[in-house]
Amino acid sequence: MTESKGMVIRPEQASDYRTVEELTREAFWNVNVPGCDEHFLAHRLRSHADFIPELDFVAVFGDKIAGNIMYTKAKIVSADGIEHLVLTFGPLSILPELQKQGIGLALIRHSFSHAQRHGYKAVLIYGDPEYYYRFGFRPAEMFGITTGEGQYHPALQAMELKEGALTGISGRFLESPAYHLDENQAAAFDVTFPPKEKFITESQRRFARLAGLPVPEKEADK
């Protein structure tokens, strides 16, 4: 457990699950797409074989959970078929009213420290380069690492937890199947939460451009 400036970072507990799902929903709602499914992802990850419970942390202010980070195992598959174990994280969720106060940075640094202690050597994520560059992430292309489809993608970011861990390791990054969500299941899970309005935002347009998806222009269904 880490404590700093009134914030405590500790492992997530079973009693936190619904609260974490609620804050994850608040953190991602209408950010990347109209609505979100990251709260369903958080719910699903905990029971998946690739989930890493020892790297599942919450940030707490007083008696309020303000943030959460979750990790799974992933791999880089080289051209000769050799698989190299790496980590990926997500969702990284911070309550909207407490964003831009260093909580995400604290969760990342805390979890990186624990990942190193457990022997993990590198982390790869799909994320906004402008945001994750400050944490030390660099384009995976610099290491010769592509998406699962064999393409270099600006959103695919990599970071070594041990210097030189990715040297000579090139290939395709394959995240856990846990991240491949069923839309119907996600929608059914979402109706167990209070209704929220879905609409188009500028952040969704930026996400679409970064991901190479059609840029939304019309209002979403409400």
PDB file of all heavy atoms in Angstrom, residues 5 26 32 38 78 86 90 110 128 137 143 145 153 160-161 170 181 202:
ATOM      1  N   LYS A   5      -0.003  12.472  -0.112  1.00  0.00           N
ATOM      2  CA  LYS A   5      -0.876  13.645  -0.255  1.00  0.00           C
ATOM      3  C   LYS A   5      -2.341  13.292  -0.028  1.00  0.00           C
ATOM      4  O   LYS A   5      -3.225  13.730  -0.770  1.00  0.00           O
ATOM      5  CB  LYS A   5      -0.685  14.283  -1.623  1.00  0.00           C
ATOM      6  CG  LYS A   5       0.731  14.795  -1.867  1.00  0.00           C
ATOM      7  CD  LYS A   5       0.859  15.426  -3.239  1.00  0.00           C
ATOM      8  CE  LYS A   5       2.280  15.933  -3.474  1.00  0.00           C
ATOM      9  NZ  LYS A   5       2.443  16.540  -4.821  1.00  0.00           N
ATOM     10  N   GLU A  26     -18.246   6.266 -15.324  1.00  0.00           N
ATOM     11  CA  GLU A  26     -18.209   7.726 -15.298  1.00  0.00           C
ATOM     12  C   GLU A  26     -16.980   8.260 -16.041  1.00  0.00           C
ATOM     13  O   GLU A  26     -17.047   9.256 -16.759  1.00  0.00           O
ATOM     14  CB  GLU A  26     -18.188   8.222 -13.852  1.00  0.00           C
ATOM     15  CG  GLU A  26     -19.477   7.984 -13.091  1.00  0.00           C
ATOM     16  CD  GLU A  26     -20.658   8.702 -13.714  1.00  0.00           C
ATOM     17  OE1 GLU A  26     -20.507   9.885 -14.093  1.00  0.00           O
ATOM     18  OE2 GLU A  26     -21.737   8.076 -13.838  1.00  0.00           O
ATOM     19  N   ASN A  32     -14.639   8.052 -25.748  1.00  0.00           N
ATOM     20  CA  ASN A  32     -14.124   7.468 -26.990  1.00  0.00           C
ATOM     21  C   ASN A  32     -15.222   7.150 -27.992  1.00  0.00           C
ATOM     22  O   ASN A  32     -14.997   7.210 -29.203  1.00  0.00           O
ATOM     23  CB  ASN A  32     -13.322   6.205 -26.690  1.00  0.00           C
ATOM     24  CG  ASN A  32     -12.093   6.484 -25.854  1.00  0.00           C
ATOM     25  OD1 ASN A  32     -11.478   7.542 -25.955  1.00  0.00           O
ATOM     26  ND2 ASN A  32     -11.722   5.529 -25.008  1.00  0.00           N
ATOM     27  N   GLU A  38     -16.239   0.165 -21.051  1.00  0.00           N
ATOM     28  CA  GLU A  38     -15.098  -0.120 -20.193  1.00  0.00           C
ATOM     29  C   GLU A  38     -15.503  -0.660 -18.827  1.00  0.00           C
ATOM     30  O   GLU A  38     -14.747  -1.427 -18.215  1.00  0.00           O
ATOM     31  CB  GLU A  38     -14.232   1.133 -20.023  1.00  0.00           C
ATOM     32  CG  GLU A  38     -13.312   1.422 -21.188  1.00  0.00           C
ATOM     33  CD  GLU A  38     -14.000   2.134 -22.347  1.00  0.00           C
ATOM     34  OE1 GLU A  38     -15.223   2.409 -22.236  1.00  0.00           O
ATOM     35  OE2 GLU A  38     -13.342   2.420 -23.351  1.00  0.00           O
ATOM     36  N   SER A  78       6.997 -13.328 -32.392  1.00  0.00           N
ATOM     37  CA  SER A  78       8.006 -13.015 -33.405  1.00  0.00           C
ATOM     38  C   SER A  78       7.747 -13.805 -34.682  1.00  0.00           C
ATOM     39  O   SER A  78       6.916 -14.721 -34.719  1.00  0.00           O
ATOM     40  CB  SER A  78       9.405 -13.310 -32.871  1.00  0.00           C
ATOM     41  OG  SER A  78       9.521 -14.670 -32.504  1.00  0.00           O
ATOM     42  N   VAL A  86       4.469 -10.160 -22.203  1.00  0.00           N
ATOM     43  CA  VAL A  86       4.485  -8.757 -21.810  1.00  0.00           C
ATOM     44  C   VAL A  86       3.189  -8.466 -21.059  1.00  0.00           C
ATOM     45  O   VAL A  86       2.322  -9.342 -20.920  1.00  0.00           O
ATOM     46  CB  VAL A  86       4.614  -7.818 -23.025  1.00  0.00           C
ATOM     47  CG1 VAL A  86       5.965  -7.982 -23.703  1.00  0.00           C
ATOM     48  CG2 VAL A  86       3.483  -8.052 -24.024  1.00  0.00           C
ATOM     49  N   GLY A  90      -5.467  -1.687 -18.653  1.00  0.00           N
ATOM     50  CA  GLY A  90      -6.698  -1.047 -19.079  1.00  0.00           C
ATOM     51  C   GLY A  90      -7.881  -1.887 -18.628  1.00  0.00           C
ATOM     52  O   GLY A  90      -7.801  -3.114 -18.635  1.00  0.00           O
ATOM     53  N   HIS A 110       2.969   3.183  -9.380  1.00  0.00           N
ATOM     54  CA  HIS A 110       2.819   2.177  -8.324  1.00  0.00           C
ATOM     55  C   HIS A 110       2.738   0.780  -8.932  1.00  0.00           C
ATOM     56  O   HIS A 110       3.419  -0.148  -8.473  1.00  0.00           O
ATOM     57  CB  HIS A 110       1.564   2.485  -7.513  1.00  0.00           C
ATOM     58  CG  HIS A 110       1.312   1.535  -6.397  1.00  0.00           C
ATOM     59  ND1 HIS A 110       1.850   1.694  -5.133  1.00  0.00           N
ATOM     60  CD2 HIS A 110       0.569   0.399  -6.334  1.00  0.00           C
ATOM     61  CE1 HIS A 110       1.464   0.709  -4.354  1.00  0.00           C
ATOM     62  NE2 HIS A 110       0.671  -0.091  -5.058  1.00  0.00           N
ATOM     63  N   ASP A 128      -3.453   6.958 -26.265  1.00  0.00           N
ATOM     64  CA  ASP A 128      -3.154   8.255 -26.862  1.00  0.00           C
ATOM     65  C   ASP A 128      -1.673   8.573 -26.659  1.00  0.00           C
ATOM     66  O   ASP A 128      -1.220   8.735 -25.521  1.00  0.00           O
ATOM     67  CB  ASP A 128      -4.016   9.325 -26.194  1.00  0.00           C
ATOM     68  CG  ASP A 128      -3.886  10.681 -26.857  1.00  0.00           C
ATOM     69  OD1 ASP A 128      -2.855  10.947 -27.503  1.00  0.00           O
ATOM     70  OD2 ASP A 128      -4.817  11.491 -26.714  1.00  0.00           O
ATOM     71  N   PHE A 137       6.253   5.961 -22.289  1.00  0.00           N
ATOM     72  CA  PHE A 137       5.908   5.099 -23.423  1.00  0.00           C
ATOM     73  C   PHE A 137       6.430   5.704 -24.724  1.00  0.00           C
ATOM     74  O   PHE A 137       6.489   6.926 -24.879  1.00  0.00           O
ATOM     75  CB  PHE A 137       4.393   4.910 -23.514  1.00  0.00           C
ATOM     76  CG  PHE A 137       3.839   3.926 -22.534  1.00  0.00           C
ATOM     77  CD1 PHE A 137       3.411   4.341 -21.285  1.00  0.00           C
ATOM     78  CD2 PHE A 137       3.747   2.579 -22.848  1.00  0.00           C
ATOM     79  CE1 PHE A 137       2.910   3.441 -20.364  1.00  0.00           C
ATOM     80  CE2 PHE A 137       3.249   1.662 -21.944  1.00  0.00           C
ATOM     81  CZ  PHE A 137       2.822   2.097 -20.697  1.00  0.00           C
ATOM     82  N   PHE A 143      10.435  -0.373 -31.681  1.00  0.00           N
ATOM     83  CA  PHE A 143      10.960  -1.689 -31.291  1.00  0.00           C
ATOM     84  C   PHE A 143      10.665  -2.754 -32.346  1.00  0.00           C
ATOM     85  O   PHE A 143      10.932  -3.936 -32.124  1.00  0.00           O
ATOM     86  CB  PHE A 143      10.357  -2.110 -29.955  1.00  0.00           C
ATOM     87  CG  PHE A 143      10.634  -1.164 -28.826  1.00  0.00           C
ATOM     88  CD1 PHE A 143       9.700  -0.195 -28.470  1.00  0.00           C
ATOM     89  CD2 PHE A 143      11.824  -1.227 -28.120  1.00  0.00           C
ATOM     90  CE1 PHE A 143       9.944   0.687 -27.425  1.00  0.00           C
ATOM     91  CE2 PHE A 143      12.083  -0.351 -27.073  1.00  0.00           C
ATOM     92  CZ  PHE A 143      11.150   0.615 -26.733  1.00  0.00           C
ATOM     93  N   ILE A 145       7.599  -3.557 -33.338  1.00  0.00           N
ATOM     94  CA  ILE A 145       6.398  -4.284 -32.887  1.00  0.00           C
ATOM     95  C   ILE A 145       5.183  -3.719 -33.593  1.00  0.00           C
ATOM     96  O   ILE A 145       4.950  -2.500 -33.597  1.00  0.00           O
ATOM     97  CB  ILE A 145       6.238  -4.173 -31.367  1.00  0.00           C
ATOM     98  CG1 ILE A 145       7.473  -4.753 -30.657  1.00  0.00           C
ATOM     99  CG2 ILE A 145       4.970  -4.893 -30.903  1.00  0.00           C
ATOM    100  CD1 ILE A 145       7.510  -4.483 -29.172  1.00  0.00           C
ATOM    101  N   HIS A 153       1.039   1.059 -35.846  1.00  0.00           N
ATOM    102  CA  HIS A 153      -0.100   1.907 -35.505  1.00  0.00           C
ATOM    103  C   HIS A 153       0.341   2.930 -34.470  1.00  0.00           C
ATOM    104  O   HIS A 153       0.978   2.576 -33.473  1.00  0.00           O
ATOM    105  CB  HIS A 153      -1.246   1.046 -34.946  1.00  0.00           C
ATOM    106  CG  HIS A 153      -2.568   1.733 -34.958  1.00  0.00           C
ATOM    107  ND1 HIS A 153      -2.857   2.813 -34.141  1.00  0.00           N
ATOM    108  CD2 HIS A 153      -3.687   1.515 -35.688  1.00  0.00           C
ATOM    109  CE1 HIS A 153      -4.085   3.222 -34.370  1.00  0.00           C
ATOM    110  NE2 HIS A 153      -4.617   2.451 -35.312  1.00  0.00           N
ATOM    111  N   GLU A 160       9.681  -0.319 -21.690  1.00  0.00           N
ATOM    112  CA  GLU A 160      10.479  -1.341 -21.020  1.00  0.00           C
ATOM    113  C   GLU A 160      10.479  -1.088 -19.512  1.00  0.00           C
ATOM    114  O   GLU A 160      10.749   0.028 -19.065  1.00  0.00           O
ATOM    115  CB  GLU A 160      11.914  -1.318 -21.534  1.00  0.00           C
ATOM    116  CG  GLU A 160      12.049  -1.688 -23.001  1.00  0.00           C
ATOM    117  CD  GLU A 160      13.483  -1.577 -23.496  1.00  0.00           C
ATOM    118  OE1 GLU A 160      14.209  -0.672 -23.006  1.00  0.00           O
ATOM    119  OE2 GLU A 160      13.876  -2.373 -24.373  1.00  0.00           O
ATOM    120  N   LEU A 161      10.164  -2.112 -18.734  1.00  0.00           N
ATOM    121  CA  LEU A 161      10.289  -2.037 -17.282  1.00  0.00           C
ATOM    122  C   LEU A 161      11.701  -2.417 -16.858  1.00  0.00           C
ATOM    123  O   LEU A 161      12.141  -2.080 -15.759  1.00  0.00           O
ATOM    124  CB  LEU A 161       9.278  -2.971 -16.619  1.00  0.00           C
ATOM    125  CG  LEU A 161       7.805  -2.642 -16.865  1.00  0.00           C
ATOM    126  CD1 LEU A 161       6.918  -3.691 -16.191  1.00  0.00           C
ATOM    127  CD2 LEU A 161       7.462  -1.249 -16.378  1.00  0.00           C
ATOM    128  N   SER A 170      11.019  -8.328 -31.904  1.00  0.00           N
ATOM    129  CA  SER A 170      10.081  -7.696 -32.820  1.00  0.00           C
ATOM    130  C   SER A 170       9.005  -8.710 -33.182  1.00  0.00           C
ATOM    131  O   SER A 170       9.198  -9.912 -33.029  1.00  0.00           O
ATOM    132  CB  SER A 170      10.803  -7.206 -34.076  1.00  0.00           C
ATOM    133  OG  SER A 170      11.401  -8.301 -34.752  1.00  0.00           O
ATOM    134  N   LEU A 181     -14.885  -7.731 -26.507  1.00  0.00           N
ATOM    135  CA  LEU A 181     -16.173  -7.781 -25.809  1.00  0.00           C
ATOM    136  C   LEU A 181     -17.333  -8.030 -26.763  1.00  0.00           C
ATOM    137  O   LEU A 181     -17.318  -7.591 -27.913  1.00  0.00           O
ATOM    138  CB  LEU A 181     -16.407  -6.465 -25.064  1.00  0.00           C
ATOM    139  CG  LEU A 181     -15.355  -6.065 -24.029  1.00  0.00           C
ATOM    140  CD1 LEU A 181     -15.719  -4.720 -23.416  1.00  0.00           C
ATOM    141  CD2 LEU A 181     -15.217  -7.131 -22.952  1.00  0.00           C
ATOM    142  N   GLU A 202     -16.030  15.921 -29.004  1.00  0.00           N
ATOM    143  CA  GLU A 202     -14.797  16.147 -29.759  1.00  0.00           C
ATOM    144  C   GLU A 202     -13.763  15.074 -29.443  1.00  0.00           C
ATOM    145  O   GLU A 202     -12.967  14.684 -30.303  1.00  0.00           O
ATOM    146  CB  GLU A 202     -14.229  17.526 -29.436  1.00  0.00           C
ATOM    147  CG  GLU A 202     -12.996  17.884 -30.257  1.00  0.00           C
ATOM    148  CD  GLU A 202     -13.240  17.793 -31.763  1.00  0.00           C
ATOM    149  OE1 GLU A 202     -14.347  18.157 -32.217  1.00  0.00           O
ATOM    150  OE2 GLU A 202     -12.310  17.347 -32.478  1.00  0.00           O
TER     151      GLU A 202
END
